[in-house]
Amino acid sequence: MYLPFSGNKEKVMNGALSPDYAVGRTYLTLTRGLTMKMMQGLVITLFSVLLQGYALATSIVYDGFTCLNAVDSNDPTPSITPIQSKFEVIENVGEGIYRLSLTGGIPRFVNNNQNVCIDSATAIGYAGIPAVDGLPRPLTSIDATAYFNGQELIIVISSMYTDLSARGTPFLPFTTSSVFAFTNMLIMEFNPNLSSFSLKKALRNRGFTQTSESRNLIAPFQETILPSFNETARDTPRILTPVSNIDFLLQ
């Protein structure tokens, strides 16, 4: 009696597969399992090794397009301008924790929408010290922190964005710029077959602060501080699931 497997015929002895076939299948299963573990170990090693001198460290990249609306987190419409989101390892802190450098921005998406664009304006944001920079300036890169356990990669990015709307016009109340604090947590899953990381979830929060002049002599300034202001004042952070595949490739 014979059964077909992958185009070959394997003999069945007394209702059971032959010893040679059973050994072969067991070997194949063990080999596949070992290969998967080796790939995970390789990725951990790659994340752990920092190249010396001028050489670049290990990184993961996602190619896409800039956002048509630079600052609206609810609008993931892409433009026609290509851009690359890139996380580069700059330090292995130990125990699965890494310091990264982000350039280009991060994927922006909303629930139940297939559009994806790369947000640079708010994900990387602004920085500035008056005595050094004058006005705050847009950054080209920003630090991030990651945790990787061989299967799941979690990246946290904190940035600040300002609309540079501060004004001090005579006879009008003084108002600072609107300043937004962004926190993005990306949760990715390692795919050893493709040597890539698939973005599964994003946790996004936007805080807000602004100071304006008041006519009240006891309290001459009014300060607004909202730790969470994504849609409305004092709302909750957003939990987002991409509809489209967003895969970062190991580079």
Side-chain angles (χ1 to χ4, degrees):
M1 177 180 177
Y2 294 88
L3 293 176
F5 287 96
S6 303
N8 297 321
K9 293 183 177 180
E10 302 294 342
K11 191 172 183 179
V12 176
M13 302 175 61
N14 297 324
L17 294 176
S18 67
D20 289 343
Y21 177 75
V23 170
R25 295 293 292 180
T26 301
Y27 174 77
L28 181 60
T29 301
L30 291 174
T31 301
R32 286 177 176 172
L34 181 60
T35 301
M36 295 284 284
K37 290 182 179 179
M38 289 177 63
M39 282 296 297
Q40 291 180 350
L42 175 61
V43 172
I44 294 176
T45 301
L46 288 173
F47 261 81
S48 301
V49 174
L50 299 178
L51 303 183
Q52 301 299 317
Y54 59 86
L56 294 177
T58 300
S59 60
I60 57 174
V61 299
Y62 170 76
D63 292 316
F65 298 90
T66 60
C67 296
L68 194 61
N69 189 323
V71 298
D72 185 357
S73 298
N74 292 318
D75 186 359
T77 305
S79 70
I80 59 173
T81 305
I83 193 171
Q84 184 179 77
S85 172
K86 182 176 183 179
F87 289 100
E88 181 180 341
V89 178
I90 57 176
E91 182 184 357
N92 176 10
V93 179
E95 298 183 343
I97 299 175
Y98 302 86
R99 297 191 189 279
L100 311 177
S101 176
L102 167 65
T103 55
I106 63 173
R108 177 196 291 173
F109 56 91
V110 295
N111 290 328
N112 304 316
N113 190 323
Q114 292 185 341
N115 286 338
V116 179
C117 62
I118 294 181
D119 174 7
S120 177
T122 67
I124 295 181
Y126 284 69
I129 301 173
V132 178
D133 308 295
L135 292 175
R137 299 179 181 180
L139 298 171
T140 57
S141 66
I142 195 168
D143 291 338
T145 307
Y147 172 74
F148 182 54
N149 62 8
Q151 180 61 37
E152 192 172 60
L153 175 65
I154 299 175
I155 302 176
V156 178
I157 314 106
S158 296
S159 58
M160 301 193 74
Y161 176 84
T162 174
D163 63 1
L164 297 176
S165 63
R167 64 178 185 270
T169 306
F171 309 112
L172 291 177
F174 168 78
T175 303
T176 65
S177 301
S178 295
V179 178
F180 299 90
F182 288 87
T183 299
N184 289 281
M185 177 184 291
L186 307 181
I187 302 175
M188 305 188 197
E189 186 177 278
F190 175 55
N191 185 335
N193 295 323
L194 300 177
S195 296
S196 66
F197 291 86
S198 298
L199 183 57
K200 297 300 183 182
K201 294 282 185 182
L203 280 61
R204 181 182 302 157
N205 189 56
R206 184 184 74 168
F208 171 75
T209 181
Q210 186 180 45
T211 300
S212 59
E213 186 179 358
S214 170
R215 299 302 184 186
N216 189 327
L217 296 179
I218 298 176
F221 295 100
Q222 294 179 330
E223 294 182 310
T224 301
I225 299 176
L226 294 169
S228 187
F229 185 20
N230 297 282
E231 299 282 351
T232 58
R234 297 176 178 172
D235 58 8
T236 56
R238 304 182 67 188
I239 302 173
L240 305 172
T241 303
V243 176
S244 302
N245 292 333
I246 302 176
D247 297 320
F248 282 78
L249 300 179
L250 193 63
Q251 189 179 76

